[in-house]
Amino acid sequence: MKEENRDTTHFGYKTIESNQKESLVADVFHSVAAKYDIMNDFMSFGIHRLWKRQTIACSGVRKGHRVLDLAGGTGDLTAKFSQLVGETGQVILGDINDSMLKVGRDKLRDLGLVNNIEYVQMNAQALPFPDNSIDVITIAFGLRNVTDKDEALRSMYRVLKPGGRLLVLEFSKTDNEALSKLYDFYSFNILPTMGKLVANDSESYRYLAESIRMHPDQDTLKNMMENAGFEQASYQNFTGGIVALHRGFKY
Amino acid sequence: MWISVLTAVTEQIVNRLITLEPSLRQDLRDAEHRVLAVTLTDLNLSCALHYNGDHCFVYGNYLDSADCHITTALDTVSELKDPSQLTRLIRANKLDLQGDIHLAQAYSKAFSNLKIDWAEHVSRYLGDAGAQHLVNTIGQGKSRAQKHCETFEDIFTQLCQDELNVTVHPLELEQFKSQTRALSQHLSALEQRINALD
Ligand SMILES: C[S@@+](CC[C@H](N)C(=O)[O-])C[C@H]1O[C@@H](n2cnc3c(N)ncnc32)[C@H](O)[C@@H]1O
């Protein structure tokens, strides 16, 4: 048996005890929730919308599907899925953080999307659904915040229906040296300053930059998905590999 | 990434048309919640259209199964405006179609039926007389408009090819520049005409 207090994990570049990570991550997202959407557009120059578009194009979501937008935060993907699954389908916006869920719920209500969306507070490591009950799961910019990623992937595999698929959109590793230098400069110098100016919170944005660097690269994540049981795992790089979309199926 | 920009812009345009032209909604009824995929062989590119009864989603790099899947070359696409051409193109081996041909026909018919009453839409901003005048003026300059379209088409084709080639040849850049110059001249002429209406 693991001894809890010897079990460590990363929080950005810091090594901390595993049982601390959840509450530290929670603090970050409680703190950024209100300004999350504005900062997202601002920091990525709006490019996150294109990454999300491509995620939707690869999702295979159809009318009547039951979709889980995990770590869905303010619900960008949920909004699109809600329109695609129609009145016979269902989208569950799942997040561990109630501040993010609340911002998401308000935003989607304002967009008039009310009929087929459920908001559920949940931990990706222990999904509150029966086996084989979901058609498509997406987790966008969420997996790197999860303490035990392997356990979370196994949990996602368990609840997916046979024939279902998982899409992981996440920051990854670019192998272009010039781009990588530029990106490092941007992440560690410009980003925290912007975080300070716009959201008055440079620490959270420093965590963002550090957590991105600690996240597994493309092939490691693909292996992790395969180890969790996913088949035909593959990925495509966006923006030179700064972001990657992984896809895996359960048969 | 350029493909995502292109599909995002296309999606905006298609949905603008859907709100401007109620008949489109009617014509696309048979396409509701079904996916039409188009693979352009020369560009090695697959896109898809997914209409949900209200909004049309345009996907780039589409890899999934579709209710109807068309495989063809970029220059054949413009011939698809005429639904009766579909079977001829298939017979001539210029187009491969898998799945439900009715879905392709629904889209083809919907867009070929498109006759937007610009006067009506513009009248909201300029008043009836102004709008009619503007529409007539534009109507007279139809050949000019056609030329604009051709220039746009050239630029679009060029852009798609650039996306494939990654680097732009200096000659292509020159050609692009001169086309852009021509286009901006056309636009300022049009602007002057619109100003004259005030
Ligand atoms: C960067 S946001 C991404 C939000 C949204 N998916 C997007 O792409 O805009 C990350 C989200 O992951 C959530 N999160 C972190 N750890 C989680 C966990 N263990 N289970 C579920 N959600 C988690 C956070 O609360 C936060 O809302």
Side-chain angles (χ1 to χ4, degrees):
Chain A
M1 236 179 82
K2 275 189 210 160
E3 272 185 69
E4 284 272 331
N5 54 0
R6 295 256 173 87
D7 205 359
T8 59
T9 186
H10 292 289
F11 178 73
Y13 285 169
K14 296 186 197 118
T15 300
I16 55 162
E17 285 175 21
S18 283
N19 54 9
Q20 277 186 303
K21 175 155 176 166
E22 240 166 62
S23 76
L24 287 170
V25 169
D27 289 345
V28 168
F29 287 102
H30 280 307
S31 143
V32 300
K35 296 251 168 78
Y36 180 80
D37 281 343
I38 299 177
M39 283 304 285
N40 242 3
D41 273 336
F42 195 60
M43 292 179 322
S44 74
F45 312 107
I47 298 177
H48 74 104
R49 290 167 189 267
L50 298 179
W51 298 329
K52 286 175 181 161
R53 281 188 69 84
Q54 198 49 39
T55 307
I56 289 160
C58 290
S59 69
V61 168
R62 293 297 200 95
K63 189 179 181 188
H65 272 173
R66 192 157 184 245
V67 181
L68 169 62
D69 179 13
L70 186 54
T74 58
D76 281 350
L77 291 175
T78 297
K80 301 284 182 196
F81 289 143
S82 154
Q83 298 176 60
L84 289 168
V85 300
E87 66 275 23
T88 54
Q90 190 192 27
V91 187
I92 301 137
L93 175 56
D95 201 290
I96 201 167
N97 190 301
D98 56 342
S99 302
M100 291 292 277
L101 275 179
K102 198 172 165 307
V103 175
R105 187 200 305 247
D106 291 347
K107 178 169 95 178
L108 300 181
R109 276 199 186 145
D110 288 347
L111 289 172
L113 302 166
V114 281
N115 289 333
N116 54 10
I117 305 177
E118 248 192 80
Y119 302 84
V120 185
Q121 192 169 3
M122 65 179 78
N123 186 339
Q125 284 169 226
L127 294 173
F129 301 103
D131 297 358
N132 310 322
S133 57
I134 308 264
D135 293 286
V136 177
I137 301 180
T138 55
I139 177 164
F141 305 111
L143 192 61
R144 70 172 186 283
N145 301 303
V146 174
T147 311
D148 188 336
K149 300 177 183 56
D150 294 305
E151 190 179 5
L153 289 169
R154 283 195 297 274
S155 181
M156 295 177 217
Y157 185 81
R158 178 183 66 76
V159 302
L160 271 179
K161 288 182 191 170
R165 69 178 80 178
L166 164 70
L167 294 157
V168 184
L169 181 67
E170 191 51 273
F171 291 103
S172 208
K173 297 267 175 333
T174 166
D175 49 15
N176 179 321
E177 223 173 289
L179 185 63
S180 157
K181 283 202 178 117
L182 189 74
Y183 179 50
D184 275 350
F185 180 78
Y186 173 72
S187 314
F188 290 105
N189 298 289
I190 300 177
L191 204 90
T193 315
M194 291 209 301
K196 171 122 193 73
L197 289 178
V198 180
N200 196 18
D201 186 1
S202 55
E203 271 311 299
S204 296
Y205 289 93
R206 191 172 311 285
Y207 162 73
L208 169 70
E210 292 181 3
S211 68
I212 289 169
R213 297 310 189 286
M214 298 308 292
H215 189 70
D217 66 18
Q218 286 86 336
D219 288 315
T220 311
L221 179 55
K222 181 171 169 258
N223 282 336
M224 286 165 68
M225 285 172 68
E226 281 163 354
N227 290 340
F230 286 97
E231 291 182 51
Q232 285 186 0
S234 63
Y235 64 83
Q236 47 179 302
N237 283 335
F238 302 147
T239 320
I242 286 181
V243 164
L245 176 66
H246 283 71
R247 183 159 89 152
F249 293 82
K250 171 174 176 178
Y251 290 119
Chain B
M1 197 50 81
W2 286 112
I3 299 305
S4 298
V5 177
L6 221 60
T7 54
V9 173
T10 314
E11 189 171 305
Q12 287 280 340
I13 296 173
V14 172
N15 287 297
R16 192 86 201 110
L17 288 175
I18 291 175
T19 43
L20 282 179
E21 198 49 58
S23 74
L24 253 184
R25 229 174 261 266
Q26 187 72 23
D27 290 343
L28 284 177
R29 269 236 304 265
D30 290 343
E32 245 171 66
H33 283 292
R34 297 163 80 212
V35 175
L36 170 71
V38 181
T39 298
L40 299 172
T41 43
D42 38 359
L43 298 181
N44 197 11
L45 172 75
S46 286
C47 355
L49 297 165
H50 187 165
Y51 176 63
N52 75 350
D54 183 46
H55 186 94
C56 190
F57 293 81
V58 182
Y59 304 139
N61 292 329
Y62 187 76
L63 303 169
D64 274 289
S65 62
D67 301 285
C68 175
H69 194 150
I70 291 175
T71 308
T72 188
L74 183 61
D75 25 314
T76 313
V77 173
S78 58
E79 295 182 50
L80 293 179
K81 273 182 274 184
D82 181 356
S84 66
Q85 292 298 309
L86 265 174
T87 38
R88 183 186 68 77
L89 291 168
I90 294 172
R91 270 198 223 106
N93 274 338
K94 284 176 106 182
L95 184 144
D96 179 65
L97 186 143
Q98 306 220 333
D100 184 3
I101 190 169
H102 294 112
L103 183 56
Q105 279 166 337
Y107 272 100
S108 172
K109 188 167 149 246
F111 286 98
S112 60
N113 276 353
L114 210 57
K115 286 186 198 70
I116 296 203
D117 187 354
W118 292 108
E120 191 194 315
H121 298 298
V122 178
S123 69
R124 260 185 262 150
Y125 305 99
L126 294 180
D128 286 342
Q132 200 53 50
H133 190 70
L134 177 67
V135 169
N136 286 346
T137 317
I138 292 174
Q140 284 158 12
K142 199 169 176 190
S143 66
R144 202 172 288 224
Q146 216 140 25
K147 220 170 176 180
H148 287 193
C149 286
E150 277 161 22
T151 320
F152 266 126
E153 231 168 71
D154 282 351
I155 293 176
F156 174 75
T157 316
Q158 198 76 58
L159 275 178
C160 291
Q161 281 161 3
D162 287 352
E163 159 78 6
L164 287 183
N165 296 339
V166 183
T167 50
V168 185
H169 191 277
L171 277 177
E172 288 173 335
L173 190 64
E174 269 317 306
Q175 190 189 1
F176 179 74
K177 276 197 223 154
S178 76
Q179 282 167 345
T180 318
R181 232 173 283 131
L183 187 67
S184 76
Q185 273 164 11
H186 288 318
L187 280 177
S188 51
L190 194 65
E191 204 179 343
Q192 273 171 12
R193 275 163 180 269
I194 292 173
N195 287 341
L197 288 174
D198 289 341

